[in-house]
Amino acid sequence: MLRRRINLLFGGDEKRVDSRTIYVGHRPCPATEAFIPPKFCDNRIVSSKYTIWNFLPKNLFEQFRRIANFYFLIIFLVQVIVDTPTSPVTSGLPLFFVITVTAIKQGYEDWLRHKADYEVNKYPVIVLEDGRSIRKESEKIKVGDIVEVVEDETFPCDLILLQSTRDDDTCFVTTASLDGESNHKTHYTVPDTEKDLQSLNATIECEQPQPDLYKFVGRMHIYKTDQEPAVRSLGPENLLLKGATLKNTKKIYGVAVYTGMETKMALNYQGKSQKRSAVEKSINAFLLVYLCILISKAVVCTTLKYVWQSQDGQDEPWYNEKTQKEKDTYVYLKMFTDFLSFMVLFNFIIPVSMYVTVEMQKFLGSFFITWDKDFFDPEIQEGALVNTSDLNEELGQVEYVFTDKTGTLTQNNMEYIECCIDGFQYRNSDSMSELDGFCVTDGPVSKLQQKAGRDKEELFLRALCLCHTVQVKEAGPDEIDSDQVDGLVSELSQPDEQRGFIASSPDEVALVKGAMKHGFTFLGLENKSMKIRNRENNVELYDLLHVLNFDPVRRRMSVIVRSKSGETLLFCKGADSSIFPRVRQEEVDRIRMHVERNATEGYRTLCVAYKQLSPEEFAVADAGLRDARLALQDREEKLMAVYNQVETSMSLIGATAVEDRLQEEAAETMEALQGAGMKVWVLTGDKMETAKSTCYACRLFQRGTELLELTVRTLEDGGRKREERLHELLLDYHKKAVQDAPPVKAGVTRSWSTANQEYGFIIDGATLSLVMNPSPDTNSSRYKSLFLQICQNCTAVLCCRMAPLQKAQIVKMVKNSKGSPITLSIGDGANDVSMILEAHVGIGIKGKEGRQAVRNSDYAIPKLKHLKKLLLAHGHLYYVRIAHLVQYFFYKNLCFILPQFLYQFFCGYSQQPLYDAAYLTMYNICFTSMPILAFSLLEQHIAIEYLLDNATLYREIAKNAMLKWGPFLYWTVLGIFQGLLFFFGVKYLFSNPALQDNGQVFGNWSYGTIVFTVLVFTVTLKLALDTRHWTWINHFVIWGSLAFYVFFSFFWGGIIWPFLKQQRLYFVFANMLSSVSAWLVIILLILLSLLPDILLMVFRKPRGPHARQMKRRLPSSGTSTIFMLSQTTSTHSFSWSD
Amino acid sequence: MSKPLKKISLTKLLHQNKNKWSFIKLRQFYQSLEKILKETCSYAELCTNNGHWLDYTGTEMNSSCFSCSSVKPDCVCELTFSFSQLFEGPVFFYYGLSNYYQNYRQYGVSKDANQLSGDTTYFLSPQDTCSPYQYDSSGKPIVPCGSIANSKFNDTFKLYLMVNGVKTLVPFDGKGIAWWTDYNVKYRNPATVNGSLAKAFDGTVKPPNWPKPAYELDPSDAANNGFVNQDFLVWMRRAALPNFRKLYGRITGGDYSQGLPAGNYTLQINYNYPVVNFKGTKKVIFSNVSWMGGKNEFLGLAYLVIGCLCVVMAIVMLIVYAKYKFSDDDDMQ
């Protein structure tokens, strides 16, 4: 971080321009006046934080920035400086332990990074220098070097591709390690560079490094001795990123443009923002309470000390004369030191070890998610992934679930279903058996309808074959397993053509395959011409002139091709909403009906349009596109403008329908989430109808659900101004859903299957932006809160037509709403990343749309159905565990320190510690730490199966229920009760301190040891009482801790320790055990302090296995969408197909 | 220490009811509870909670030690009391102090463990914690240094049984009153110089309050001198609470091995230890021990109360359980 900043600083000093000039091969170019070799950073990757020299100071500094560590450091320093009752060791040792463990962990992690850096930096590469190939270490590459990379090697830095061994001047690259997309991407050499790199004389002008992987703008000036310098534009297609791997290409040469820490990979390598869990906030609140208790205890003791001393004869009895120094000290200074001493004496009430235990619990606990066999998906051979362990317990607190539709609720496993050409439906019902069933001579399968003209059909199918960015996978034995975007490829391809398709979006593959079923096969792209085989088995060739790429804003893509006959054609496919305005209206009407019907059935629809470009038109478009591509600044905007200009006045040829199956158990999962009191919001970029039918299929909307729609369509119904209508509708819905709703207590009490009217809410992107960013003149600032209130009263909310940022916006709105509910986002694609990052908990699905969601998520699971267990079982348990852990820690330290506090009243407020220093130190480290750690890892207060079957149990812990002030009070009162009991019980025993049968008398250390013994046994047995799920580990640590305590006490008191100044515990423990009275009182006090808990346990409602008989059985689904839809559409189609 | 609330003779009450424990009257129960909680008893009479004890501070005019309570060294006073029946032995004799903060922190650290383990290098330079009893006014090191040692209890007692008007000495056995480990391991005398313990203490002075140096504590028993003096060790084990008792001696000798027979006794006290100026009291306690240690009414009462509580709760819970179970069955049907 620092290094990068310094680099930026230096870079900034040299030149404050936003572009850099690179001399290819370090050859001065003739055009510029003087060759000043510019300075760039070297190709060393430094991901490590520390070096050997700065590790100690830097690591310590970072650790003491944590408020808790700093607090303990202060306590330690006070102990060192001021004459305090306990030696500095008592707080120094735990602190040292904590600091050391953390430092070792961080040091180890950094060592791993060093090792990885070393491997990367020392990797041998071949650099072309003065016509010779020289082997170098990767870190020695300088900007401007020409680097050679062979197949299957990763690029050592960001390179501009100059030369490839492939004939078509391309190379293939996978960026799996960068963004997780495993498909091959084609990159192009800079056009017209010379074949001989030795004589190449060129400079590259490009922007300063920036982290966006998909953006690059640059220009290359090629100087030839006898010509004007040629200028070539450079884009991301020319840039090979460090970390990507060369595929299917023997060898390439490229010139380094960004090196080392300035590569896009390094710039992207940065920790995600730290998400903090709600539990941590509770801990801090409790800490504050305990800090107040601590300070007030110290104040009370200090005050009472001076009140007590003011009495006659108490200040300085003859037997306890003060030293001269004490007599000379100012009284206020003495008061202050007394206050500090009391603070030190009671500081154990704030447990230093709690932080360590919580960290360990989280770290180790996350393994249980990784190890869970139920999360293992045999298809991808992977289980769940935990990217952060800080949020385990947050999984048990989720109130809002935001889910993506495509790939999350549905499988993103596209299957071509039907198409509609010119208003006629072509359906291939049994596509699997009859691959070539669609045949003109046999007539379309749909016998009810006429077919469109043959020309139209063929035009449509050609469009399907041409308008895409699909690559044909070259069949090779080593590639069969990898790079599969579509699992159906091998099944569907004809046996004689072992053909696979690779595409960034599975829709495209489905469409190309759909066209194949109808007789038009895409054979591949060669030399910028696309080969297709038509129904007559003739190969047609089309020159690919331009690809107008897909982007989520335009929601369409186009290609411009030239056929052999010289026609220039533009084919465009895209969402209906983006195509319809750009085609003639009379064509729209014929097709709209089909599109909407397909959408209601849950299919993804795309419309296909085309346009014939006249040579003039093409010339304009071509020039525009080239200009825009060459632009160094605002290239995106310029390209967009050209695209929009070109894609107009097209004619619509048809539409396609692709089915996206529901994920396994999607409906059950959603139902369970709703049953658990979570509100499920579906945020999708898809069409309303498609999304709505998915919601019905997932049972997010039920039959009885009344849908409140707030979409562009409903807004335009009244024919009035949109904003007025919006206002009116919002108020109307608000009245319905919020005001008229019976006053039930939110969430917990309301059962999910009550007879109450349930509401579903639907809003689309355009309307949402109206709600979120209303025009300032109207009184519309209330829209947002109205909208939020309505949504909070609906069981499910569907937001369709969402841009990725809008998804994040919604999550943010809910997150910041009243009560700051815990939100969870789940998605699988790059478009979900923003909402995954925004939500409290982000969950990625290891789906088909690359790995970006997984990389940015906190947890990644293979399938949606795993969400149920993740939340209902793991989340619930983690929350209960950590809540119990936190409460228990405060409790055990309260009843640890309370006797010490009470003792001050009986020792003249002299800060006499009740317990020996060893006990003070070891209590939290050894005697009571392991049982609670084991408990917080293994406890299952309710069996997992039972949790899964009874989603409503999740509601019991909603809203941080176990860390509210109520439970905190219970634990605190319990701690106080036990503390009082320990102290006064032993005090009354000591009314006759002659406790041994030989009449000998016990002293103050015996007193403390008896209290401490009772304490250790009580808090450990209390935990044993709370444990519902006993494993051998629990048994081992609970009984082992007690045994260790006894063993340690014997050992500690059994030897004259040479390093101790005072042997004050010498044989104290053994003598205590020899006294029957001590035994009796220990047993009595343990029983008595556990009595409230035993009573509670008895009277608590039994939660036995017999309750299982009442569990609800959900009808199992897993059947296809169609089945579900056939049930739902019949009842609902009337209500929403206007 | 609060003043006694009632001036009734509890001894009588207890003796009357000694054989009628089967029905404790509520009043008595309350009183015994009160005794435990307050440890009160009237002066100049043998009180009977947690052993038989006798206050001899001498703050009251009618006390025979009144004249000694205003500081007067080597003052002797006598207390008389009687046992109406045999006080079963072995009888242990304790002295008790109240409002005496032996658990005061600065007091507690005011000793030098190295000195006390016989390390003579620390004889000449005691630890700073011993201050102000580190060096005397002439700069000589004090051995044993520190407040605890200096404030060693120095009253002495002699018990006489009046047999036919003749005083017979009841001997106290002062052996084995300190912890065995203290006497044998933890505290060690310095190595003798030429066979003389006193020479090992050369160059040091006795604590200012001590009449005699450490090596002359017990002229009768050579093994009971220096730091391994039983009384000294008992004193050095600091009490936990400001009201405490410490073992002075056992009454085990010959005739008294069965206990103290009924009769009149006289306790002769060498009154040296001042407690009045810090509002302390002094007392002596006769107590016998059972297999579970010294007499402790708290323990018995506490077990009794909690036992009763448990029985009551068990009955209540049984009823509740029965009801719950039946209603549960109804639900199931």
Side-chain angles (χ1 to χ4, degrees), chain A residues 109 235 491 508 577 598 638 650 675 810 812 898 939 975:
Chain A
E109 281 169 359
E491 305 170 39
E508 295 206 312
S577 61
N598 283 335
K638 282 177 187 162
M650 300 177 286
I810 288 198
K812 195 172 186 174
L898 191 63
E939 172 66 353

Side-chain angles (χ1 to χ4, degrees), chain A residues 318-320 323 903 906 910-911 988-989 992 994 997-1001 1003-1004 1061 1063 1066 1071 1076-1077 1080, chain B residues 92 94 101 103-105 113 131 176 178-179 185-186 209 238 240 242 245 250 274 289 291-292 294-296 303:
Chain A
W318 66 267
Y319 57 87
N320 187 22
T323 58
Y903 193 54
F906 300 93
S910 60
Q911 303 119 25
Y988 288 127
L989 179 77
N992 178 2
D997 56 1
N998 57 9
Q1000 289 172 2
V1001 174
N1004 65 327
K1061 258 204 312 199
Q1063 313 291 338
Y1066 188 65
N1071 269 325
V1076 181
S1077 300
L1080 287 175
Chain B
F92 289 69
Y94 299 87
Y101 286 85
N103 56 12
Y104 209 76
R105 180 166 69 91
S131 180
W179 287 18
V185 186
K186 192 170 162 184
N209 273 30
R238 290 197 290 141
R245 60 174 74 172
R250 291 194 188 81
V289 296
W291 52 275
M292 48 174 273
K295 206 162 188 184
N296 200 323
Y303 264 94

Side-chain angles (χ1 to χ4, degrees), chain A residues 117 176 215 283 314 351 436 458 512 544 567 650 693 730 734 806 817 873 928 959 968 1000 1017 1069 1077 1106 1138:
Chain A
D117 287 351
K215 259 190 198 153
I283 294 179
Q314 301 285 36
D436 269 335
E458 294 203 339
V512 171
L544 180 60
E567 284 175 303
M650 300 177 286
S693 59
L730 271 175
H734 185 261
Q806 277 186 313
S817 69
T928 58
K959 302 231 179 248
F968 179 67
Q1000 289 172 2
F1017 273 81
F1069 191 75
S1077 300
H1106 67 270
D1138 54 353

